[in-house]
Amino acid sequence: MINKKTVKDIDVSHKKVLVRCDFNVPLDKNGEITSDKRIVESLKTIKYLIDNNAKVILCSHIGKTGKNISLAPVAKRLSELLNVNVPLLKDIYSDETKNVIDNLKEKEVVLLENTRMTEMEEKNDPEFAKKLASFAEIFVNDAFGTAHRAHASTEGVTHYLPSVSGFLIEKELEALDNGINNPKRPLVAIVGGSKVSSKIGVLNALLDKVDTLMIGGAMTYTFIKAQGGKIGNSLCEDDKLDIATEVVKKAKDKNVKFILPVDNVVADKLESGVKTHITKVDEIEDGYMGLDIGPETIKLFEEEINKAGTVVWNGPVGVFEIDEFANGTRKIAEFMANSNAVTIIGGGDSAAAVEKFGLEDKMSHVSTGGGASLEFMEGKKLPGIEALLDK
Ligand code: ADP
Ligand code: MG
């Protein structure tokens, strides 16, 4: 169980509350927000603070350090969603910012500019953390997407303020923890994506917990090659063949039903409009690569999803970004959406796929944190959460 205090366990009324949100939203080339999911997901905590007469100071990063992307589009979208003006305070160190915050009234909301405008954020610089903390009396972390990073605005500030979680972090932890550590069985996991190397931790952790583990995506071919199959030009991590063999052995030792694809969609180029055909997964001709699961595999996966009490999915089973190779991922998403099982999606690209197919609302939980959900599933401690007050 997760035993961290939330905003409900602390008196926020009349207090200045610094809230670390995850407003790292995708922007198009015109700077327009292409998905406001993360902003929408932050509203519950912000509204609670407004309703309880707090003075609300929001902060977040957006994009990488050095890119200096402004949170201005987020301030605008937030103002629309909350129906109040949310000013963007452009310079964290300016007298003006200090002034605005000193004079903040109850129920007012302001947004500090991108915390990654300075390198001090990711370095978890104590002076920067102290500066952020100086604005407030309470810290609320609701940025699940960066909870796996010890940065000044996620972990550093907790050294200077009483710190609790917001509702989004609470929801994420509950859903992921229940799904993995207290699941309705059988617990079926689908792990795909591009690399075995980025999923070794999660594969090993899941093997201790699941009843069935199904593999898809590019990592399939590392497993198939390790078993002596012909994978043509498919992506493969030749230095991870031993690990693939170990994973298969561990599955056997743990009595986990381990399912690899049996067929796949292949093409000689990874581009839209290319001619495709179906082959067995271990009989791919030279010059071709496996880019999606095939119809027999889709059937196999469907059967397991239909039997499941819980399905945890991390990693697309094909190159879903290109229509020719999106079918497998779309089908998995549809089977999950239509099943009675508890359905949990972790992983940034998997969540993007589910969103692309418009099936988000049909899932029990779609995590807002790609890396954080992966690390949670790996059983790692998330520093942004560890640092919060215990219940
Ligand atoms: P997540 O973010 O959900 O954890 P990953 O980042 O591990 O997922 O992997 C997602 C990427 O894997 C997608 O961009 C997808 O195009 C790619 N991918 C999936 N299957 C294949 C494949 N067979 N060959 C090449 N790339 C693949
Ligand atoms: Mg990814």
Side-chain angles (χ1 to χ4, degrees), residues 89-100 131 135:
L89 305 180
K90 294 200 179 77
D91 179 358
I92 291 174
Y93 284 92
S94 74
D95 290 341
E96 196 197 327
T97 294
K98 189 177 173 307
N99 231 334
V100 171
K131 178 73 197 171
F135 293 132

Side-chain angles (χ1 to χ4, degrees), residues 193-194 198-199 314-316 320-321 347-350 370-371 374:
S194 45
S198 64
K199 302 282 161 88
N314 182 293
F320 74 97
E321 297 94 336
D349 290 292
S350 320
L374 193 68

